Amino acid sequence: MRKVSALAQCILALVLAIWGVKLLLPDRNVWGNPQFETLMMQCQIPSTEAIIRLYQGNAGATVAYWYSVTFDNGKFPGEKQIFHAYAYPSIKSIDCHTDGITVFTDEQDFNLTIEQIKNQLIKQPIGFYRGEPQQKSIQPLRILTLSSGVLLESISVWILSRSFKQFRASRHPGHPRNSRTS
């Protein structure tokens, strides 16, 4: 019976570890929540595998719309945000051309080269918050997600160590180390 319990605990620890790792992996966005974003349009940069996507985010009546432009070169780490605007300027569309992309907003157009995207914007996206330039920062929701991931990893290690002890105790029931005294 202890072996079955130890196996169940190992499976639980594995599930929690996988869930924790998923929470710890980087998200595609620096700003905004991908779960509340809708794909508006996409285009491919000619002669490359790179795809540019424009999303509109909407988390309900208490927040403004946001816009997110992402770059996906078809390789790991995958899709990454390169441009973000909360409230305004509103991003109207994107256009891919041989040299890079153009982001069309209701206030001005932004021409971004492929080199600029790959060398700078994947690490530090252009961001606006109500029209003001925004510096890279970590969102409170991301801090909560990272904390949850670390907690799940810790719990899975603890469960795994308990299950190994339980499994060893079931293999050697008469061993002095496995007898408990009160």
Side-chain angles (χ1 to χ4, degrees), residues 40-111:
M40 302 303 291
M41 66 183 305
Q42 68 180 22
C43 60
Q44 185 171 357
I45 298 175
S47 304
T48 71
E49 294 180 19
I51 296 175
I52 306 297
R53 294 182 180 95
L54 169 61
Y55 295 93
Q56 182 181 47
N58 181 3
T62 59
V63 298
Y65 287 116
W66 69 86
Y67 302 89
S68 184
V69 178
T70 63
F71 173 80
D72 185 353
N73 64 359
K75 300 174 183 139
F76 188 78
E79 189 175 14
K80 294 307 252 177
Q81 186 177 59
I82 58 171
F83 194 102
H84 173 269
Y86 178 81
Y88 55 88
S90 297
I91 300 175
K92 301 299 180 192
S93 65
I94 53 174
D95 180 47
C96 295
H97 43 82
T98 343
D99 299 334
I101 68 164
T102 303
V103 177
F104 298 98
T105 74
D106 55 0
E107 295 179 10
Q108 76 180 78
D109 301 338
F110 294 85
N111 291 305

Side-chain angles (χ1 to χ4, degrees), residues 134-175:
Q134 189 174 21
Q135 294 299 315
K136 184 176 179 178
S137 63
I138 191 162
Q139 298 182 72
L141 182 61
R142 184 67 184 143
I143 293 171
L144 178 64
T145 303
L146 291 172
S147 300
S148 300
V150 168
L151 179 64
L152 286 173
E153 291 301 315
S154 301
I155 291 171
S156 70
V157 167
W158 179 75
I159 291 172
L160 200 56
S161 69
R162 284 198 54 195
S163 67
F164 282 146
K165 287 178 186 175
Q166 191 174 7
F167 183 73
R168 275 190 297 213
S170 70
R171 290 184 66 193
H172 308 289
H175 194 275

Side-chain angles (χ1 to χ4, degrees), residues 13-25 145 148-149 152-153:
L14 181 62
V15 169
L16 291 176
I18 291 170
W19 188 14
V21 166
K22 185 181 180 313
L23 292 175
L24 293 172
L25 289 174
T145 303
S148 300
L152 286 173
E153 291 301 315

Side-chain angles (χ1 to χ4, degrees), residues 26-31 45 50-52 69-84 101 112-127 136:
D27 204 352
R28 79 165 188 237
N29 284 7
V30 173
W31 295 296
I45 298 175
I51 296 175
I52 306 297
V69 178
T70 63
F71 173 80
D72 185 353
N73 64 359
K75 300 174 183 139
F76 188 78
E79 189 175 14
K80 294 307 252 177
Q81 186 177 59
I82 58 171
F83 194 102
H84 173 269
I101 68 164
L112 311 173
T113 66
I114 295 173
E115 291 76 27
Q116 183 183 16
I117 291 169
K118 288 181 177 179
N119 298 330
Q120 177 188 353
L121 298 178
I122 286 179
K123 297 175 194 124
Q124 176 75 36
I126 295 171
K136 184 176 179 178

